[in-house]
Amino acid sequence: MRNLELAQLLRTANPWWSRRRRASWVLDDAELTARARHEWAPATATARGALADLARQPRPRTVTLVVGPRGVGKTTAVKDVVAHLVADPAVDPRRVVLVPAQRVDAAGTTHTLAPPDLATVVRTPTRTGAPASDEPRVLVVDEVGTVDGWPGVLADACRRGDQVVATTSVLEPADLQALEALAPAGSVSVRRLHPSSMSEVLLALPAGGTQDVRAAYLHHGGLPRALAEHRDLGDVGEEFVAWLAAGLHVDVCRGADGCPLDVLLAAVCATTDRFVEPEPLARTLGLTTAEVGRLLTRLEDAHVLDPRRGLVDPLLHRLASLIAPGRHASPSVEHIAAFSH
């Protein structure tokens, strides 16, 4: 991507650089307005609590990874942090740089920054449109795990004196080890956001009958937007399902067309007994056990699979039937209850 294109990307992602937009940008930001439309307040409170220290003031020479499955609210959580920082009169908003490593265009196509583009934006933001700043940057990189070689780029920024806050739906152990080895000692921390459990949903809805809440939870799961849409609309919306499926396709299939996500998720459900076993899954999918092993590792790294229990959230069990209802039937309530957290 040329520097002019990167500059346009950054200007769009960082409206607070404009004096006129410093306060008003939160009113039409996509993630923040989506949450305002359908908010699950307990999840918002949890995310704000987990990142509260980041919102108080910049913390130079640190790297904070915000990790969790697709749809758990990582992007919204870090935008909350940005909103607090740029609203503080003591913080120059020009030092705050949000870098969308992955974005979806108007046609629904997912685009990911190439590794050299991520390195250019993070290492020399002024060359790609960011205003000059005499203070260390606060670099917020959304879905950094989709870009190869990201640990070295973030570690370089930390050693330079910048603060880095990065979200990722996929955190491979090798990448975390590389980051910790390259960054200054003690500078890396990991904050994890999780879907709500059924007990947390029950606590949030004390007036609801236990069986009704259980039935609803097994139907829509614990992802914040799914919970809120079910409460407000009666079910999970098609837009959210499509967004979730597209993100998981990137995380698990690396965007490859020969890896249909719905078939993979349906096969996991169909073959899970006490544990998720590669051999029956390989027979169902027509792949080798080595290929299936790689897919299972990716599902695990994407925080959607526990090899001992199956898919971790009830909505993931239904996702195949929501993506392609003509090909897949929704699994039974008994299966979802047995093989999700």
Side-chain angles (χ1 to χ4, degrees), residues 138-153:
V138 179
L139 299 166
V140 182
V141 188
D142 193 30
E143 285 299 348
V144 73
T146 59
V147 183
D148 291 336
W150 63 267
V153 176

Side-chain angles (χ1 to χ4, degrees), residues 9 12 76 81-82 84 89 117 120 122 156 178-179 196 198 200 203 219 266 275 280 306 325 328 334:
L9 175 67
T12 301
T76 310
V81 170
V82 170
H84 280 82
D117 293 334
T120 298
V122 170
D156 285 348
L179 176 62
S196 299
M198 194 178 79
E200 290 169 327
L203 288 172
H219 186 67
F275 301 98
D306 179 345
H328 308 288
E334 292 74 20

